[in-house]
Amino acid sequence: LSHVNVEMQAMRLVLDETKRHITEEFDKTNRCNNIVIYSVSESKVEGHNQRMKDDRDFCQSLFAEALQNYSRTCDLRRVVRLGKTMDSVRPILVEFKTPIAKNLIMESLSKLKTALEKFKNFSIKHYFTNVERE
């Protein structure tokens, strides 16, 4: 019986590791269409909906003007601020409907060097999982 008990414990460890791996892969799949834009100042207008609209408009102008990559509004699934409202400068999470739209934006990041001044003081990164960030 002790031999069977040891084997069951080993199987539980393997099962737990497999669950963690599947969860990580699922998380990666969910984030594959996302980017994060850091250091974009927040709109000072009243109302949550108007601030969200301002963030969406900023992203649209960034993609169209600075990156010279036309990304239609329908390409964006959502644009939200990450973190608590009290934080000074919260990053913007941009979720695209397809990985193609995201990859076109990421491939044109080198154009930020020659963009207008209002588009130069922030960075755009992939939206990594916690394990990938570590």
Side-chain angles (χ1 to χ4, degrees), residues 22-39:
I22 289 172
T23 303
E24 177 69 17
E25 289 301 315
F26 183 72
D27 200 15
K28 280 183 192 179
T29 303
N30 286 341
R31 295 171 185 243
C32 74
N33 296 346
N34 302 348
I35 61 172
V36 180
I37 306 173
Y38 295 95
S39 302

Side-chain angles (χ1 to χ4, degrees), residues 15-76:
L15 182 62
D16 289 343
E17 182 62 32
T18 303
K19 283 180 184 179
R20 277 193 294 276
H21 181 68
I22 289 172
T23 303
E24 177 69 17
E25 289 301 315
F26 183 72
D27 200 15
K28 280 183 192 179
T29 303
N30 286 341
R31 295 171 185 243
C32 74
N33 296 346
N34 302 348
I35 61 172
V36 180
I37 306 173
Y38 295 95
S39 302
V40 178
S41 60
E42 291 196 49
S43 174
K44 302 295 183 201
V45 297
E46 291 293 322
H48 176 71
N49 291 337
Q50 184 59 42
R51 286 193 307 271
M52 286 177 54
K53 183 184 179 311
D54 289 348
D55 287 340
R56 182 178 280 273
D57 292 343
F58 173 80
C59 290
Q60 285 296 323
S61 65
L62 168 68
F63 301 150
E65 296 172 30
L67 301 179
Q68 300 163 354
N69 188 328
Y70 178 70
S71 179
R72 300 181 309 274
T73 304
C74 62
D75 287 342
L76 297 178

